[in-house]
Amino acid sequence: MTIKIVAAATAPQGYPPADAADIASTLVAPSNFLAQLGPEYYAALLDIATVQHFGKGDFVFRAGAPGSNVYFLRSGKVKIHQLSPLGREIILWFCFSGEIFGLAEVARGGGRVVNAQACEASEVLAVPQEKFRDFLERNPRLAMLSMQVLSSRLRVLGEMFVNLVADDVSTRVAKLILRLSARYGTRVGKEVFLNIPLTHQEIADMVGTSRQTVTSVLSSLKRQGVLSIDNRRIHIESEELLNELTHGS
Amino acid sequence: MTIKIVAAATAPQGYPPADAADIASTLVAPSNFLAQLGPEYYAALLDIATVQHFGKGDFVFRAGAPGSNVYFLRSGKVKIHQLSPLGREIILWFCFSGEIFGLAEVARGGGRVVNAQACEASEVLAVPQEKFRDFLERNPRLAMLSMQVLSSRLRVLGEMFVNLVADDVSTRVAKLILRLSARYGTRVGKEVFLNIPLTHQEIADMVGTSRQTVTSVLSSLKRQGVLSIDNRRIHIESEELLNELTHGS
DNA sequence: CAGCGTCTGTCGGCCAGCCGACATCGATCC
DNA sequence: GGATCGATGTCGGCTGGCCGACAGACGCTG
């Protein structure tokens, strides 16, 4: 074991803040658990899993329930959220096809602290806690993958937290849209289509504001020609402009 | 999709919100990584680690730097924080003796997104990324332990996020104090001593407010006889009262 | 001891954004 | 077709808490 004294570091700081491209590169990869899985692992996973179906609005699990399963979303969309004491719904994130959820409480043991609710008809694989644990112990590579997923979540949540503290509402909305489009958007030339229907209320719940404020921020963005919205789906017309709104100013 | 603002309507149950005891039980255990390690693992860890020393204010690592090490705090106190674009410091958490930090970016790969800064003279074990990864792959139990740590962080951060969205400043401060005292406080009869010196600015940075507001909230709490502060160390005189302030009202 | 830097306490002006209230616009369902 | 229900827009009043400013207090250091 080497002993090393590190000199006081009042080093020049000022690393550039993460921008959309950076976020995309680090976020897209680890989020899709099933896709990262080799076919042999996938088969093994199927062996210990149960297929379950949920309709729009159904809860996969609720806060307070024992966290007895890990879930993999095969199709559909699931919303992970928490209720504030006042009954306000706070959305932590959405899960899309291929993603894992419910992992944290299984690793930690203890009950759920969040709710998982299907936003549309969804098919999930449910794997009992102990089986999944065994599975990971036998396949260390998968344990690493799980850690990556947790780490990504942690990073995203940390970023959301910082945004919430530091930015005003319009900046938060802009950043949310950029984050979502980096992960789930389809890029067509300079434009980006975000094929996820979102109500103003949901955006408000993700960003920590009131519905009315979201309405006004969005109409301001439309007026500036930054984006348009069709049938609840956001269509970014000028990503550059949107980026400017989040960075400087 | 239905967004329920008031849960009481549809939710048949209504699980009680987590209180201090609950938080303590789930948080204390997994946070102290070194203590959970058996002696044989500890020795193995020492084999691949380098001991480093940092003085008060030194950075263990900064945001933007490559995340090349995992760290274990043997003694001292380290602050994990992020800088907002405006230069505001946002404290995500403190690490105390025995805890691991810098894990998330190593698992995920990519650079640091947070800063780790020693609050007092600290001694850490630094383990290079690849070695730690090997170590985990050879010791699946430790991989599980790491996942527990990440999961706990995720839970705490989620809770902080919800607090920030839902609660006003005085509630946030009260909850912060309860959280800290659940983990790090010494209970003497009905009173709790929190042996961690905290400036108002630091509290503000954890809770997302201004320093002035923290000052006034704290003096209000003192006036109510909830707590007293001696030399920057909080002393809770009536935990019950503090709990009431966070729950109902 | 003086001098200095950091932390605490307090006050008042000011404004972002919350909240209630309503009107409209589509869907969906008899 | 009407009726119902959720999502949008828009407006104004009200206020929590931010921010600048300044005055002690406390603990270092020379």
Side-chain angles (χ1 to χ4, degrees):
Chain A
M1 171 165 59
T2 337
I3 304 283
K4 176 173 151 196
I5 306 291
V6 174
T10 321
Q13 88 284 45
Y15 293 98
D19 66 355
D22 177 19
I23 292 173
S25 67
T26 55
L27 291 193
V28 174
S31 67
N32 193 323
F33 193 94
L34 292 184
Q36 307 258 315
L37 227 52
E40 67 286 13
Y41 288 127
Y42 190 55
L45 191 64
L46 280 180
D47 270 355
I48 54 174
T50 315
V51 179
Q52 298 182 353
H53 293 267
F54 295 89
K56 178 174 173 174
D58 293 349
F59 281 83
V60 180
F61 56 78
R62 303 180 103 107
S68 35
N69 285 312
V70 183
Y71 298 91
F72 302 87
L73 190 55
R74 290 179 104 178
S75 68
K77 181 173 118 193
V78 170
K79 174 166 73 172
I80 307 295
H81 61 90
Q82 220 163 334
L83 283 186
S84 81
L86 304 154
R88 172 168 190 170
E89 185 175 303
I90 297 158
I91 301 179
L92 297 180
W93 48 70
F94 285 105
C95 286
F96 294 88
S97 167
E99 297 185 340
I100 185 176
F101 63 98
L103 174 59
E105 26 269 287
V106 166
R108 214 196 53 244
R112 305 283 183 192
V113 293
V114 296
N115 304 285
Q117 186 177 19
C119 298
E120 50 190 61
S122 302
E123 185 180 274
V124 305
L125 299 176
V127 177
Q129 172 173 177
E130 324 76 45
K131 290 193 181 168
F132 188 66
R133 213 181 280 239
D134 288 352
F135 189 56
L136 289 189
E137 297 209 354
R138 272 181 286 106
N139 302 289
R141 304 290 306 271
L142 290 190
M144 296 311 290
L145 185 52
S146 301
M147 287 180 58
Q148 278 176 34
V149 170
L150 290 173
S151 301
S152 290
R153 294 270 160 83
L154 208 47
R155 176 185 167 157
V156 175
L157 198 53
E159 202 187 318
M160 286 164 63
F161 188 81
V162 170
N163 288 169
L164 194 53
V165 171
D167 301 328
D168 63 4
V169 173
S170 37
T171 311
R172 298 210 297 273
V173 171
K175 285 190 177 174
L176 173 72
I177 295 174
L178 283 176
R179 254 204 310 272
L180 288 176
S181 62
R183 282 183 75 166
Y184 305 111
T186 322
R187 178 164 274 98
V188 178
K190 298 206 115 195
E191 317 208 323
V192 184
F193 292 84
L194 191 51
N195 194 23
I196 305 170
L198 290 173
T199 69
H200 292 185
Q201 184 65 59
E202 285 176 314
I203 296 176
D205 290 338
M206 280 188 281
V207 132
T209 2
S210 66
R211 191 226 95 220
Q212 292 95 319
T213 307
V214 170
T215 301
S216 83
V217 168
L218 285 182
S219 25
S220 154
L221 289 176
K222 285 185 214 163
R223 241 177 291 120
Q224 294 175 261
V226 177
L227 52 78
S228 63
I229 296 185
D230 181 58
N231 198 6
R232 284 187 204 140
R233 280 156 234 266
I234 294 175
H235 166 208
I236 303 176
E237 291 168 348
S238 166
E239 196 172 8
E240 271 173 59
L241 223 57
L242 196 52
N243 246 314
E244 268 174 43
L245 291 178
T246 66
H247 282 315
S249 93
Chain B
M1 156 176 26
T2 330
I3 308 275
K4 280 292 167 206
I5 297 299
V6 179
T10 24
Q13 38 17 7
Y15 294 97
D19 63 358
D22 178 20
I23 292 173
S25 68
T26 55
L27 290 192
V28 174
S31 67
N32 193 325
F33 194 92
L34 293 185
Q36 308 256 316
L37 227 54
E40 68 285 14
Y41 288 128
Y42 190 55
L45 191 66
L46 281 179
D47 269 355
I48 54 176
T50 312
V51 179
Q52 299 182 352
H53 292 268
F54 295 89
K56 178 175 176 173
D58 293 349
F59 281 83
V60 180
F61 56 77
R62 304 180 101 107
S68 36
N69 285 311
V70 184
Y71 297 92
F72 301 87
L73 189 55
R74 291 179 103 179
S75 68
K77 181 173 118 190
V78 170
K79 174 166 72 174
I80 307 294
H81 61 92
Q82 220 163 334
L83 282 186
S84 82
L86 305 153
R88 172 168 191 171
E89 184 176 302
I90 296 158
I91 300 179
L92 297 181
W93 48 69
F94 284 105
C95 287
F96 295 88
S97 167
E99 296 185 339
I100 185 175
F101 64 97
L103 174 59
E105 25 269 288
V106 166
R108 212 196 56 245
R112 305 282 182 192
V113 293
V114 297
N115 303 286
Q117 186 176 20
C119 298
E120 50 190 60
S122 302
E123 185 181 273
V124 305
L125 298 176
V127 177
Q129 173 171 179
E130 326 78 45
K131 289 194 182 168
F132 188 66
R133 212 179 281 240
D134 289 351
F135 189 53
L136 289 189
E137 297 208 356
R138 275 181 284 107
N139 303 287
R141 305 290 307 271
L142 289 190
M144 297 310 291
L145 185 53
S146 302
M147 286 179 59
Q148 279 177 33
V149 170
L150 290 173
S151 300
S152 290
R153 293 269 159 85
L154 208 46
R155 175 184 169 160
V156 175
L157 197 53
E159 201 186 318
M160 286 163 63
F161 188 81
V162 170
N163 288 170
L164 196 51
V165 171
D167 302 328
D168 63 3
V169 173
S170 34
T171 311
R172 298 210 297 274
V173 172
K175 285 190 178 174
L176 172 71
I177 295 175
L178 283 175
R179 253 203 312 271
L180 288 176
S181 61
R183 282 182 76 166
Y184 305 111
T186 323
R187 178 165 274 96
V188 178
K190 299 206 115 195
E191 320 208 321
V192 185
F193 292 84
L194 191 50
N195 193 23
I196 305 170
L198 289 173
T199 69
H200 293 185
Q201 184 65 59
E202 284 176 315
I203 296 175
D205 290 339
M206 280 189 279
V207 132
T209 3
S210 65
R211 191 225 96 220
Q212 294 94 318
T213 307
V214 169
T215 300
S216 82
V217 168
L218 284 183
S219 25
S220 154
L221 289 176
K222 285 185 217 163
R223 241 178 291 118
Q224 294 175 258
V226 176
L227 52 78
S228 62
I229 296 184
D230 180 60
N231 199 6
R232 272 167 225 157
R233 280 157 233 265
I234 295 176
H235 166 209
I236 303 176
E237 289 168 350
S238 166
E239 196 171 11
E240 272 173 59
L241 222 59
L242 196 51
N243 247 313
E244 267 175 44
L245 290 177
T246 67
H247 284 314
S249 95

